[in-house]
Amino acid sequence: MTTRYLILEDGASYKGIGFGSEATTTGEVIINSNMLGYQEVITNQIYHNQIIVFTQPSIGNTGINHKSFESIVTNAKGVIAKEYSNISTNRLGNLSIDKFLKQNNIPGIAGIDTRELARHIRIKGSMKGSIVDIDDEHAYDQLNASVLTNQQVDQVSTKAPFPNPGDGYNIILIDFGLKYSILRQLSERHCNVTVMSWNTSSKEIMDLDPDGIVLSTGPGSPLNLPESVLEMIRTVQKNVPIFGMGLGHELFALANGAKIYQMDIEHHGSNHPIKQIITNKIIYASQSQGYAVDPKSISHDNLIVTYVDLINKTVQGIRHRDYPSFSIQFSPDGGPGPIDSVDLYDEFLENVSSQRR
């Protein structure tokens, strides 16, 4: 086994045992507190250019299976774990996590105290890190000199439209970093889905005569996307219902006059209680959040806050007053995580049905 190091831009160094690819890599170090679903997390496009630190004690014991991918191309930069297993106890797990990471050129490190690392990140704030063979001065110089791209959405979004056929409502899904669980949920409801690039114009969308539009999740900051995306949202929301989630939620808020701020510490996990304001119902949902809607910036002439996080008080959902459109910060599809909020897809399709009538 090979000794490898995770080094952070504040000078911290963590020694462990390498697995997966032997590549040297640099990315933003984030903490993920999910207790299950490591395959869904690693293949989620929202982790583009990020090194994922899993706080659960062990990963790999259910292997990798063909039913749990959230994308074909995996863009995570690295995986950090307390321990990993190459013995799968799952009959669907035909591939070990070590081989999977090797296939995708993603390095991993095990044997690190991930709880202590998580505490360090939460105290110091988000920062860059590198997985290296030697934690010498040269490695830190390389880390500090590296610049991470802010064009994540353009790098992960589809370059050409493609269909996910069904015999139900005609839904356009704008790909900012698509999770396949979104397609699975729409397919279960027999929707005829066309997936289109993030920079698709409102005319191109409306030419396809959509019944509804979904704004997908995605990586990076919504502030790095051009005004044309917000103009597209403002135009199409006047004609058809919209359902935004994650990055799509943040863009929907920006398009309707709200402001976005970057959180001091990103939250990635499935353990935050979220309250639906109108009913006081508490749900748990999967979150991958680095940005949030500023509640003071919301114009209540246009938007209504529908969900709020009970721990950090961030806005988790909004609804438009004049149009049958809404968005949520969390992920409602349970990939991975609870399925408490999967009925939001049904709510969206009820809006679609009412609009068609």
Side-chain angles (χ1 to χ4, degrees), residues 206-332:
M206 297 310 299
D207 283 348
L208 295 177
D209 189 28
D211 295 317
I213 296 169
V214 173
L215 308 175
S216 85
T217 58
S221 168
L223 303 176
N224 289 329
L225 295 179
E227 179 67 21
S228 58
V229 176
L230 306 184
E231 285 295 338
M232 177 273 289
I233 295 172
R234 294 185 192 109
T235 300
V236 299
Q237 72 181 3
K238 298 175 184 177
N239 299 285
V240 291
I242 289 178
F243 178 19
M245 56 193 81
L247 181 60
H249 158 77
E250 295 155 13
L251 292 167
F252 179 71
L254 282 171
N256 286 287
K259 294 181 179 179
I260 301 293
Y261 66 92
Q262 185 173 9
M263 300 169 66
D264 293 333
I265 301 295
E266 295 191 13
H267 179 256
H268 300 268
S270 303
N271 55 348
H272 269 212
I274 298 168
K275 182 175 79 170
Q276 184 180 32
I277 292 177
I278 194 171
T279 64
N280 281 331
K281 177 183 176 182
I282 308 300
I283 63 171
Y284 289 84
S286 178
Q287 286 184 338
S288 299
Q289 182 180 5
Y291 296 82
V293 178
D294 182 356
K296 297 178 182 178
S297 71
I298 294 175
S299 169
H300 295 285
D301 292 334
N302 294 330
L303 300 173
I304 304 169
V305 177
T306 54
Y307 290 89
V308 64
D309 191 304
L310 289 181
I311 293 179
N312 59 25
K313 309 303 179 184
T314 54
V315 174
Q316 292 292 310
I318 54 176
R319 177 180 295 277
H320 204 287
R321 284 187 179 272
D322 299 324
Y323 308 122
S325 297
F326 66 95
S327 65
I328 51 171
Q329 182 71 67
F330 52 91
S331 180

Side-chain angles (χ1 to χ4, degrees), residues 85-272:
S85 170
N86 267 336
I87 301 175
S88 172
T89 58
N90 185 339
R91 63 182 177 82
L92 296 175
N94 299 317
L95 182 68
S96 73
I97 189 169
D98 181 54
K99 290 182 178 179
F100 172 72
L101 294 181
K102 281 184 169 71
Q103 288 178 1
N104 289 276
N105 197 35
I106 299 173
I109 300 181
I112 287 178
D113 185 347
T114 52
R115 297 301 175 99
E116 194 282 325
L117 174 56
R119 188 182 307 114
H120 182 86
I121 294 293
R122 289 181 180 127
I123 293 172
K124 299 289 187 176
S126 298
M127 66 183 79
K128 290 184 298 182
S130 289
I131 295 176
V132 296
D133 294 324
I134 302 174
D135 61 341
D136 58 9
E137 185 177 343
H138 175 69
Y140 283 100
D141 288 343
Q142 290 288 97
L143 170 59
N144 292 323
S146 64
V147 178
L148 301 179
T149 180
N150 62 1
Q151 301 298 310
Q152 296 102 313
V153 171
D154 187 57
Q155 293 185 8
V156 301
S157 178
T158 182
K159 303 306 179 187
F162 66 89
N164 191 55
D167 57 10
Y169 290 115
N170 186 30
I171 303 300
I172 301 298
L173 200 165
I174 305 300
D175 177 11
F176 297 106
L178 175 63
K179 282 182 64 183
Y180 286 173
S181 287
I182 300 174
L183 285 178
R184 294 185 185 105
Q185 292 296 332
L186 293 172
S187 292
E188 286 183 11
R189 291 157 178 81
H190 309 291
C191 294
N192 181 54
V193 180
T194 302
V195 180
M196 305 188 78
S197 177
W198 70 273
N199 55 4
T200 302
S201 69
S202 57
K203 182 180 186 305
E204 291 172 306
I205 293 171
M206 297 310 299
D207 283 348
L208 295 177
D209 189 28
D211 295 317
I213 296 169
V214 173
L215 308 175
S216 85
T217 58
S221 168
L223 303 176
N224 289 329
L225 295 179
E227 179 67 21
S228 58
V229 176
L230 306 184
E231 285 295 338
M232 177 273 289
I233 295 172
R234 294 185 192 109
T235 300
V236 299
Q237 72 181 3
K238 298 175 184 177
N239 299 285
V240 291
I242 289 178
F243 178 19
M245 56 193 81
L247 181 60
H249 158 77
E250 295 155 13
L251 292 167
F252 179 71
L254 282 171
N256 286 287
K259 294 181 179 179
I260 301 293
Y261 66 92
Q262 185 173 9
M263 300 169 66
D264 293 333
I265 301 295
E266 295 191 13
H267 179 256
H268 300 268
S270 303
N271 55 348
H272 269 212

